[in-house]
Amino acid sequence: MEFQAVLMAAGGGSRMTDLTYNTPKAMLPVGNRPLMWYPLNLLERVGFEEVIVITTKEVQRMMSTDSKLKSDVKMKLDVFCIQEDADMGTADALRHIHRKIKTDILVVSCDLITDVALHEVVDLFRAHNATLAMLMSKAHEVTEIVPGQYGKKMTVEQRDFVGVDQSEKRLLFMANEADLREELSIRKSITRKHPRMHIKTGLVDAHLYCLKKAVVDFLVDNKSISSIRRELVPYLVRKQFSKTTNSQKITDDTEGQNQKKNERSTNHELLISSRDEPLLQLALERSCWNDHRGDMSDSYHKGKLRCYVQILDEGLCYRVNTLAAYIEANRLAPKLFVEPAVHPSAVISEGCQMGSDSIMGALCQVADRTSIKRSTIGNSTIVKENVKITNSIIMHGVTIEEGCNIQSSVICSNAVIGKGADLKYCLVGNGQAIEPKAKRINEVIVGTDQLMEIWLP
C-alpha cells in the first residue's frame, strides 16, 4: 500500500450556516447525492480500496442510512469520529489518527468536487520524492445570484500569493493577503536558488494534499499547528530554503515573525526520510540528473524538503464551502455522472414540463401543469399543480403547494411552501413553513434559534 487516503468530513460549514444548521456539510445534497460522495467516488475511481474518514457521530449516523453511499461506495470506510464541539483543525485531526497512518497519505476535503486526473498530483509527488504535493485551481467567478444577497456587494475573498518556478510545478512561496502588511517580501534564500519566480494570484487551494508520513510524525510533536491549509502548508513551503542542521533534518519554525531567530534555536525537528533513504542518497550523489535546469541542481541534491503544486487550468474543480459555491456545484455536479435525469421511482404527471437541465430525485411526486427548469428536485419532494420552479435547489422532503412560483431560490429539507406563495432570490431554512400567498424577495427565512443574538451594553 503506497498511500493511505484520508477524507476530512468533520467541518461544520461555518461559511454557510443557513444550510448546515440542521444538515452537516458533508451530507448536504448536491445533485441529490451527499457532498462527501464526490471525493469518495474520486478516490474509488483511481483504485483506493479503503479510506479513513474523519467525521462526527452525526455524520456517521447519516452515512449509515444514506442510500447513495450504501449502494455506490464499495470501498471500506474506516470511520473515526471526533467530538462535534471540539475545536479541532485539519492538522489536529491528522494528529488524532496518527497511529492509523503507516504510509504516505493523500488528504482530501469532503467539500471538493472535481474531475481532475488524480494521478497527476500523485505522480508529481512520486517523481520528485516530494514532502508535499497539492492541487490548486483557478478561482471561479460567481455567476449565480445568491439568495438573500441580491443587490448587495459581494464579500471580496482575500487572495493567496503563490510563487512557483519556471516549470510552474515547484512551490516556492505562499502567503495570504491577510498576513501581509504593505509589501510582499521574498527571502534571499529563495531568490538565490530561484532568481526567476512567477507570483500568481487568483488561485484556490483545492484542499487535496499528498504528504509524507514524516509530516504526520512531525505534527505529533508540534501541537501548535492546527490547520493544514493555514499553518502546515505555509510552514513546509517556507522551510524548503531554511538552513539545515544536517542532511536529514529541517529546523522547526512556527513563528513567522521571528523566522531568523527561530532558525538558530529550535525545539522540534522535521525528519524527511524513508526506509530507502540511504539508497536514494547514493543515487543522488552519483547521478548527474536533477529536477531543475542550469545551476539549480543543489536545490534538489541538497534540499530534503520539497513542495510541489499541480495547477488545474481546465476542468471542474470546486470547493463547496459557501452558499454561492453550493448553488454553482448543484448546477455543474450532474455532469460528473451518467444517470437518468429522473429517478425511476419518481412519479411525474404527463402535464409536467421539465427541462433537460433539471434532475428529479427518488420518490418525488409532481402534479399536472407544472414547469421545472434548470433546477434540482430532492428525494421525496411533493410538487402540486400549477407550480413553476426556475433555477432553484429543492432539497429532500419538501412540500410545494398549488400555484407557487419559485425562482433562483434554495429550499432546505422538510420545508413547506404554502399555496400561491411567490419566492424570488430566497433561502428557506430546514423545516420552515411559508404562509399561503406570501410574496418574498431576497430574504433568508430561518428559525429564530438559528439567528445570532447580539447583546448591547
Side-chain angles (χ1 to χ4, degrees):
M1 181 172 59
E2 183 183 8
F3 286 96
Q4 288 175 272
V6 179
L7 180 71
M8 295 289 183
S14 59
R15 299 177 67 186
M16 47 181 182
T17 53
D18 294 325
L19 294 179
T20 58
Y21 179 74
N22 288 97
T23 304
K25 180 173 70 170
M27 298 303 293
L28 281 174
V30 176
N32 287 335
R33 287 167 163 76
L35 180 53
M36 68 185 302
W37 179 93
Y38 293 91
L40 288 173
N41 179 259
L42 174 69
L43 293 170
E44 191 163 47
R45 282 190 284 112
V46 298
F48 280 97
E49 297 179 353
E50 182 176 346
V51 179
I52 299 172
V53 180
I54 302 176
T55 190
T56 63
K57 288 186 177 180
E58 182 182 9
V59 173
Q60 183 185 35
R61 176 183 57 79
M62 296 177 73
M63 287 172 61
S64 66
T65 59
D66 187 273
S67 59
K68 274 294 178 186
L69 290 177
K70 292 172 69 175
S71 64
D72 292 359
V73 179
K74 307 302 181 186
M75 297 182 297
K76 177 184 176 183
L77 302 182
D78 185 5
V79 180
F80 191 90
C81 293
I82 61 175
Q83 294 182 1
E84 296 183 31
D85 57 350
D87 185 15
M88 186 176 290
T90 47
D92 295 322
L94 282 182
R95 191 180 297 114
H96 214 53
I97 63 162
H98 76 275
R99 290 187 177 86
K100 292 178 176 284
I101 304 301
K102 309 299 181 185
T103 68
D104 297 340
I105 59 173
L106 175 63
V107 182
V108 188
S109 173
C110 73
D111 61 12
L112 176 63
I113 296 181
T114 182
D115 59 0
V116 67
L118 192 56
H119 70 84
E120 293 181 354
V121 185
V122 175
D123 288 349
L124 192 63
F125 183 81
R126 291 171 176 150
H128 301 291
N129 191 26
T131 308
L132 160 74
M134 62 187 292
L135 176 67
M136 301 191 84
S137 70
K138 292 183 178 179
H140 301 279
E141 291 186 13
V142 176
T143 58
E144 302 290 339
I145 295 174
V146 179
Q149 299 179 20
Y150 180 69
K152 298 179 181 179
K153 187 176 181 179
M154 297 294 292
T155 302
V156 178
E157 295 284 340
Q158 291 179 321
R159 299 172 297 171
D160 282 323
F161 291 85
V162 180
V164 294
D165 68 357
Q166 289 180 286
S167 71
E168 298 196 348
K169 298 294 184 184
R170 183 72 186 265
L171 183 57
L172 306 175
F173 177 83
M174 178 176 283
N176 186 268
E177 192 173 8
D179 300 325
L180 302 175
R181 294 181 181 177
E182 295 182 355
E183 58 185 22
L184 190 65
S185 299
I186 307 295
R187 297 168 65 181
K188 290 182 180 179
S189 58
I190 301 175
T191 56
R192 278 197 298 267
K193 294 181 179 180
H194 298 273
R196 292 187 178 183
M197 184 195 310
H198 298 282
I199 300 291
K200 293 179 174 287
T201 58
L203 295 178
V204 176
D205 183 355
H207 285 221
L208 187 151
Y209 313 103
C210 289
L211 292 167
K212 286 280 192 187
K213 180 183 181 298
V215 175
V216 180
D217 298 335
F218 167 75
L219 288 174
V220 173
D221 294 326
N222 289 266
K223 296 180 173 56
S224 62
I225 295 178
S226 178
S227 166
I228 295 176
R229 171 64 187 89
R230 293 193 305 272
E231 297 168 294
L232 179 62
V233 170
Y235 170 80
L236 294 176
V237 172
R238 187 172 67 247
K239 294 305 293 181
Q240 293 178 97
F241 306 102
S242 296
K243 294 180 181 179
T244 57
T245 55
N246 58 48
S247 63
Q248 293 188 5
K249 294 184 179 182
I250 304 295
T251 57
D252 180 23
D253 172 13
T254 56
E255 299 294 333
Q257 296 178 351
N258 300 304
Q259 290 175 17
K260 293 182 180 179
K261 184 184 294 184
N262 287 342
E263 282 168 6
R264 301 188 190 101
S265 176
T266 62
N267 296 321
H268 301 291
E269 295 175 328
L270 174 55
L271 285 166
I272 303 301
S273 61
S274 71
R275 291 173 297 178
D276 301 321
E277 187 67 31
L279 184 61
L280 290 170
Q281 186 63 34
L282 181 63
L284 293 177
E285 290 172 356
R286 298 189 178 183
S287 174
C288 63
W289 180 89
N290 63 78
D291 64 348
H292 293 279
R293 297 190 179 99
D295 60 351
M296 299 302 170
S297 61
D298 65 344
S299 64
Y300 178 74
H301 289 287
K302 294 182 180 179
K304 290 289 179 180
L305 199 159
R306 294 183 291 278
C307 300
Y308 286 81
V309 59
Q310 180 70 28
I311 299 174
L312 187 66
D313 292 319
E314 297 180 355
L316 182 67
C317 189
Y318 273 86
R319 282 204 62 225
V320 186
N321 59 350
T322 63
L323 178 55
Y326 178 76
I327 294 170
E328 190 76 7
N330 270 277
R331 186 174 67 83
L332 297 173
K335 297 178 181 179
L336 293 176
F337 46 84
V338 180
E339 284 186 6
V342 178
H343 193 276
S345 65
V347 179
I348 301 180
S349 170
E350 292 182 0
C352 170
Q353 295 181 352
M354 179 175 165
S356 59
D357 49 6
S358 297
I359 60 174
M360 190 79 63
L363 303 174
C364 285
Q365 300 178 41
V366 182
D368 260 339
R369 298 189 295 279
T370 56
S371 173
I372 300 173
K373 296 180 180 179
R374 207 169 178 250
S375 297
T376 298
I377 310 299
N379 302 335
S380 303
T381 288
I382 298 173
V383 181
K384 298 188 177 178
E385 294 181 347
N386 293 315
V387 169
K388 184 177 181 180
I389 303 173
T390 307
N391 198 36
S392 295
I393 301 166
I394 313 297
M395 295 190 193
H396 306 318
V398 174
T399 299
I400 302 175
E401 299 289 352
E402 302 162 18
C404 291
N405 179 32
I406 301 175
Q407 179 181 339
S408 299
S409 296
V410 177
I411 313 299
C412 295
S413 297
N414 304 313
V416 177
I417 311 301
K419 183 176 179 180
D422 187 357
L423 304 179
K424 188 175 183 180
Y425 309 130
C426 289
L427 187 150
V428 179
N430 192 291
Q432 295 300 301
I434 301 299
E435 62 275 16
K437 297 185 179 181
K439 186 172 183 178
R440 303 290 187 93
I441 301 176
N442 199 33
E443 293 186 35
V444 175
I445 303 154
V446 296
T448 54
D449 54 346
Q450 290 178 246
L451 299 176
M452 181 185 296
E453 291 186 3
I454 300 177
W455 293 88
L456 298 176

